[in-house]
């Protein structure tokens, strides 16, 4: 399986309530053309990752796409928004997780990057590759992203006391 990665900078914020271990933001911006190499410019179209929104809990949060290190957390919510794929990630209560949260709070780490596998692409007349459908393998926090502020952490939010909607959806699907 060939996994590609793309990085995006996003606005991060710290929100009150809960325990402050959830980071949020646009993970992949939609309709933003980005030059990846001299010969590759791509744009993710709305809905490219729609299949993953039903199984957000399976998406792990890494740092710098380093799969040799343990994940630092996991997605608790992924949803399609006008601006792109929005995500919320619970950071694990570990020494490295605490360090990562501090770096995000300080603004030293403020960008998302995704590891993905293209499933359906279109090439436009101008040569731009439109990512129509893609499998989201992982999300990483990175220092410098391909998409700049378009895919950045929007904030750190304390865990809400609302039920996990992803788990409820899975339970309902299992009952069908």
């Amino acid at each position: 399986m060939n996994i590609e990665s793309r990085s995006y900078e996003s606005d991060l914020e710290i929100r009150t309530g809960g325990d402050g271990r959830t980071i949020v933001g646009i993970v992949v911006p939609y309709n933003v053309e980005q030059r990846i190499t001299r010969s590759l410019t791509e744009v993710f179209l709305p809905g490219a990752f729609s299949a993953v929104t039903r199984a957000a809990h399976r998406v792990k949060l890494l740092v710098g796409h380093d799969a040799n290190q343990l994940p630092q957390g996991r997605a608790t919510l992924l949803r399609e928004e006008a601006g792109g794929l929005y995500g919320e990630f619970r950071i694990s209560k570990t020494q490295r997780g605490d360090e990562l949260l501090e770096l995000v709070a300080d603004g030293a780490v403020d960008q998302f990057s995704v590891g993905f596998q293209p499933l359906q692409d279109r090439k436009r007349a101008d040569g731009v590759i439109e990512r129509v459908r893609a499998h989201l393998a992982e999300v990483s926090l990175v220092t410098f992203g391909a998409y700049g502020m378009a895919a950045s952490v929007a904030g750190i939010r304390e865990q809400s006391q609302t039920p996990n909607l992803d788990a409820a959806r899975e339970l309902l699907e299992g009952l069908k």
Side-chain angles (χ1 to χ4, degrees):
M1 176 165 65
N2 182 25
I3 302 294
E4 298 184 29
S5 63
R6 301 293 184 267
S7 303
Y8 314 95
E9 190 172 332
S10 185
D11 292 325
L12 296 176
E13 67 183 63
I14 298 174
R15 297 181 188 171
T16 59
D19 65 0
R21 301 200 68 84
T22 301
I23 60 170
V24 302
I26 296 293
V27 177
V28 178
Y30 291 148
N31 298 315
V32 175
E33 290 183 17
Q34 181 62 41
R35 179 176 295 275
I36 304 303
T37 66
R38 283 184 167 187
S39 60
L40 173 63
T41 298
E42 71 182 3
V43 58
F44 283 90
L45 299 182
F49 294 101
S50 61
V52 76
T53 59
R54 293 182 295 275
H57 65 283
R58 294 182 179 168
V59 178
K60 305 302 185 218
L61 182 70
L62 305 178
V63 176
H65 301 288
D66 189 353
N68 293 318
Q69 297 289 321
L70 291 173
Q72 297 306 300
R74 67 172 183 85
T76 56
L77 174 70
L78 292 170
R79 73 171 174 242
E80 299 280 334
E81 293 190 350
L85 179 65
Y86 169 86
E88 295 184 1
F89 299 87
R90 169 93 172 125
I91 304 296
S92 298
K93 180 83 173 126
T94 63
Q95 181 178 346
R96 191 155 185 235
D98 292 346
E99 291 170 356
L100 186 58
L101 282 169
E102 191 64 30
L103 289 168
V104 169
D106 288 347
V109 174
D110 60 358
Q111 298 178 30
F112 283 117
S113 183
V114 294
F116 71 98
Q117 181 180 21
L119 299 176
Q120 181 184 357
D121 293 340
R122 284 192 304 241
K123 188 171 186 177
R124 298 189 324 212
D126 62 1
V128 173
I129 301 296
E130 294 180 329
R131 304 291 186 189
V132 178
R133 252 183 354 108
H135 167 71
L136 185 62
E138 53 89 5
V139 175
S140 285
L141 286 169
V142 296
T143 306
F144 300 107
Y147 279 73
M149 287 305 288
S152 62
V153 179
I156 300 173
R157 153 176 98 72
E158 294 183 17
Q159 188 174 14
S160 72
Q161 302 304 315
T162 59
N164 183 331
L165 294 178
D166 288 332
R169 281 186 193 114
E170 270 193 21
L171 180 62
L172 289 173
E173 287 295 319
L175 295 174
K176 288 183 181 179

